Amino acid sequence: MRTGKDTEPRLSIAPLLLAICLSAGILAAPSANALSELQKIPGQADPQAADQQNSGQSQTPSSTSPGVPMPDPLVSKDSSQGSDKTPGASDDSKPVEVIYDISKVPEPVRRMREQIVEAAASGDLERLRPLFGSGAEQTQVSVGEPTDDPIGTLKDLSGDPDGDEILAIMLDVISTGFVHVGAGTPDEMYVWPYFAEKDLKALTPPERVELLRIVTAGDLSDMQEFGGYNFYRLGITPAGKWKFFTAGD
């Protein structure tokens, strides 16, 4: 006896399998095409071009073809012809030779410096008086007209009534490096500190620290804006004459 299921029409399996295969082929084709159309990675060799080159055929490179650009030269002609001048210095400036070895100066200069150090370290301003000299050869301690009483002038410049501050400044100044200026001229001198002859905008970090032992950071900023060192400086001639101890430019 046939059931109700036997009465339902049966589908042929062959057409069904054919439909599945056709569907799979249609879906796979675009995927294969997509892989073949991937963009080449810039700089990657073209297999077709390589085959042509190997077969002896030459190709003219296109200016628009992708590729890795050639790097710029490490050193250009313009940069190799740069100036060796200190940054911030004027065109006619020369490098400043800073001296720290006091043995390199004449004996009279060493002797006078030693006497100044001893007198200043004593805390007694009067001990400087014999070192000043007198008359036209007297040590200059103020800018402008010479003073008849250099000790009194230094006391007035000091922040305390005994002149201890000015003695401390003198010690700080003469303890720095120094420079030899005006060699072979009547103005030849050994000058402390060397900042008096240095471009303050070109100071190295150690030089800045050395200068800040004498002045404040605010003073340094003002000096850089002013254009030069304008605090106390001390000069001794090659003959051992204490020429000046003054502040200003």
Side-chain angles (χ1 to χ4, degrees):
M1 179 181 295
R2 298 178 60 184
T3 64
K5 292 183 179 180
D6 294 333
T7 60
E8 293 179 358
R10 296 181 180 270
L11 294 176
S12 175
I13 192 169
L16 180 59
L17 291 176
L18 179 60
I20 293 174
C21 292
L22 290 175
S23 299
I26 294 173
L27 293 175
S31 176
N33 292 337
L35 289 174
S36 66
E37 294 301 324
L38 287 176
Q39 295 294 326
K40 294 183 178 63
I41 299 174
Q44 186 181 38
D46 187 348
Q48 183 178 358
D51 293 340
Q52 291 177 350
Q53 184 174 4
N54 293 333
S55 63
Q57 297 179 2
S58 62
Q59 287 186 332
T60 303
S62 173
S63 60
T64 59
S65 60
V68 179
M70 292 297 293
D72 293 331
L74 294 177
V75 179
S76 64
K77 293 183 179 180
D78 292 338
S79 61
S80 64
Q81 298 175 354
S83 173
D84 292 331
K85 295 183 184 300
T86 303
S90 58
D91 292 339
D92 58 350
S93 64
K94 295 181 179 180
V96 176
E97 181 184 359
V98 181
I99 308 171
Y100 286 94
D101 187 357
I102 192 63
S103 67
K104 293 184 177 180
V105 304
E107 174 60 28
V109 178
R110 294 200 300 270
R111 185 167 58 249
M112 174 55 74
R113 179 186 179 275
E114 182 179 349
Q115 291 176 322
I116 294 172
V117 169
E118 290 177 352
S122 72
D124 183 2
L125 200 58
E126 281 293 334
R127 288 189 58 175
L128 292 175
R129 193 180 293 276
L131 307 179
F132 286 149
S134 59
E137 297 298 320
Q138 181 177 280
T139 303
Q140 181 183 359
V141 296
S142 62
V143 178
E145 294 295 326
T147 176
D148 294 333
D149 183 12
I151 298 297
T153 299
L154 290 180
K155 280 187 177 181
D156 292 339
L157 292 172
S158 186
D160 66 292
D162 297 324
D164 292 342
E165 182 188 49
I166 206 72
L167 291 175
I169 293 173
M170 191 177 296
L171 274 176
D172 284 341
V173 166
I174 207 169
S175 297
T176 67
F178 57 97
V179 290
H180 183 200
V181 299
T185 71
D187 296 326
E188 184 175 1
M189 198 91 57
Y190 292 89
V191 178
W192 287 260
Y194 66 88
F195 306 109
E197 302 293 329
K198 182 87 173 177
D199 177 9
L200 299 187
K201 294 181 180 179
L203 297 180
T204 65
E207 288 172 340
R208 286 176 57 87
V209 171
E210 189 172 10
L211 177 52
L212 290 173
R213 295 176 59 188
I214 303 174
V215 302
T216 66
D219 292 334
L220 174 55
S221 178
D222 291 341
M223 288 179 188
Q224 290 175 328
E225 184 177 354
F226 171 75
Y229 177 86
N230 58 9
F231 196 54
Y232 283 94
R233 67 193 71 195
L234 187 151
I236 302 175
T237 69
K241 173 70 178 68
W242 185 1
K243 193 69 174 178
F244 58 81
F245 177 67
T246 57
D249 57 353

